[in-house]
Amino acid sequence: MKRFLSEEECALVSGAVAEAEHSTSGEIRIHIDSRCPGEPKERALRTFHALKMERTAARNAVLIYVSPSDRKLAVLGDKGINDVVPDGFWKDVCGLLSSRFASGQFVGGLCETVSLIGSKLKAYFPYADDDVNELPDEVTFGDIAGDDAGESGL
């Protein structure tokens, strides 16, 4: 798979994740997939579980899933988030990411989207001084959501 982001761009995006997580106890990850056969939300769900994102203590992880080659994306929040936020909570997040990607602003779009997620989650999952970073901030790549990755509801 041709790299969608350079090492320097990955560092910028990872830095945006770390910064956003200093305003919320929520955990944010970004995964760039090589292909997205079918619906992106279903593929993102399998990726979410393959990355073991459901293991956060408060079930407050968010996955930004992108398949550039198929021009698909999804944003998923775990059960702890979805139990407390209103319907349509992710609509503006997906809209921002889609519009930035449509204009070729991939790194900026990811960074802005991460920042928006952090600010939105702050109201429901504020940062605490004893917060532990439960998930890596680095961008992950490739096909990690095979058919046997498991599927349980979020």
Side-chain angles (χ1 to χ4, degrees):
M1 173 174 101
K2 181 183 173 213
R3 283 298 279 240
F4 177 65
L5 301 172
S6 70
E7 286 186 35
E8 294 81 14
E9 291 169 329
C10 285
L12 287 171
V13 173
S14 295
V17 170
E19 185 175 326
E21 289 180 356
H22 278 114
S23 65
T24 178
S25 64
E27 297 287 331
I28 304 167
R29 295 207 67 185
I30 299 168
H31 182 78
I32 311 298
D33 207 343
S34 51
R35 299 285 308 169
C36 179
E39 292 297 315
K41 188 172 181 180
E42 292 171 16
R43 183 74 170 187
L45 180 60
R46 289 196 302 272
T47 300
F48 190 97
H49 290 293
L51 292 170
K52 300 178 181 5
M53 293 179 64
E54 74 281 1
R55 294 185 180 178
T56 61
R59 301 286 306 263
N60 61 348
V62 177
L63 175 65
I64 299 172
Y65 170 88
V66 179
S67 175
S69 60
D70 295 310
R71 302 179 59 98
K72 295 179 181 179
L73 60 88
V75 177
L76 292 180
D78 202 357
K79 183 179 181 355
I81 296 171
N82 293 331
D83 284 350
V84 298
V85 300
D87 289 342
F89 185 76
W90 300 114
K91 186 175 182 178
D92 59 339
V93 172
C94 291
L96 172 64
L97 189 58
S98 293
S99 69
R100 295 299 186 267
F101 276 23
S103 63
Q105 300 173 17
F106 304 115
V107 175
L110 287 169
C111 291
E112 284 181 63
T113 300
V114 165
S115 179
L116 177 59
I117 291 170
S119 65
K120 288 175 68 92
L121 288 180
K122 181 179 182 178
Y124 300 93
F125 299 94
Y127 183 81
D129 289 337
D130 62 348
D131 186 66
V132 174
N133 191 12
E134 297 178 82
L135 298 173
D137 297 339
E138 291 79 22
V139 178
T140 54
F141 290 87
D143 178 5
I144 62 169
D147 293 330
D148 59 342
E151 288 192 40
S152 62
L154 288 182

